[in-house]
Amino acid sequence: MAEAVGARLADPDVEARLGRLDELLEGLETAPGPTTRSATEAVALLTEVYGEALARVLDLADERLAERLAEDELLGHLMVLHAIHPEPAERRAARAVERLRPAVRERGGDVEWAGVEGQVARVRLTTGGGCGSGCGGSGSDVTDAVRAAVLAAAPELTAVEPLTETAPAFVPLTTLTHRGAP
């Protein structure tokens, strides 16, 4: 065990542990009895204390360090969880959309950040018109992916509203200018 001191977890290991933690907490919440209530309260209190510790680190950090900490995926998620993320929700959500943009464009569409109204994010989605089944994925798959990414980055937002457009199908110029024989 002494070898584990200072050891770092790779991102997949962190994800595996978070998944296992979710499973354990779900099982704990469904078990009856005072021991379950005590264990659940202990986890909640521990989470609150760790959140306070992270907030104090941010209080001591200069602006650049706070930004660097927030850029780390795990730390960023923890800051969101504890409502202490230094970036506004709108900026985090816009960045999530920009990260998805290349994948959406690969499928013949596009996604653009359109802003926030109240607690609702707005994104402009363009689905590839005329690309047929070769586009890889449906418009609803893209919408679901965008919604999940935005709400993961900014869970303070309550919804994501797609402003959907269909790109016109490509029509070669020669077909428009070609006239049939008289």
Side-chain angles (χ1 to χ4, degrees):
M1 186 87 167
E3 294 175 356
V5 174
R8 303 292 304 275
L9 294 175
D11 286 345
D13 295 329
V14 171
E15 289 176 25
R17 282 167 173 77
L18 289 173
R20 179 68 179 136
L21 181 59
D22 282 344
E23 291 171 8
L24 291 170
L25 289 173
E26 284 177 15
L28 192 59
E29 289 172 352
T30 60
T35 303
T36 298
R37 285 189 296 278
S38 294
T40 303
E41 182 180 356
V43 169
L45 290 171
L46 185 61
T47 301
E48 190 177 334
V49 169
Y50 277 119
E52 176 59 24
L54 184 56
R56 290 179 184 195
V57 167
L58 284 178
D59 288 344
L60 295 172
D62 62 25
E63 188 176 325
R64 178 63 192 132
L65 178 57
E67 287 173 6
R68 288 183 58 214
L69 293 171
E71 288 169 2
D72 179 89
E73 186 176 5
L74 177 59
L75 289 173
H77 284 302
L78 288 174
M79 290 176 196
V80 167
L81 173 71
H82 294 288
I84 58 173
H85 202 289
E87 277 188 315
E90 183 168 359
R91 191 175 314 148
R92 286 182 271 128
R95 192 170 51 250
V97 168
E98 284 306 310
R99 279 192 213 118
L100 282 177
R101 199 168 198 192
V104 175
R105 284 181 168 173
E106 251 179 41
R107 288 164 179 75
D110 199 4
V111 62
E112 233 181 303
W113 180 248
V116 171
E117 284 185 32
Q119 295 298 104
V120 178
R122 304 224 189 276
V123 292
R124 193 167 293 108
L125 286 172
T126 306
T127 57
C131 63
S133 61
C135 292
S138 69
S140 67
D141 291 344
V142 171
T143 302
D144 291 345
V146 170
R147 181 174 289 115
V150 167
L151 294 178
E156 309 92 318
L157 301 175
T158 57
V160 178
E161 183 178 296
L163 308 172
T164 308
E165 301 171 8
T166 301
F170 175 74
V171 179
L173 183 59
T174 57
T175 62
L176 297 175
T177 59
H178 178 72
R179 295 180 189 228

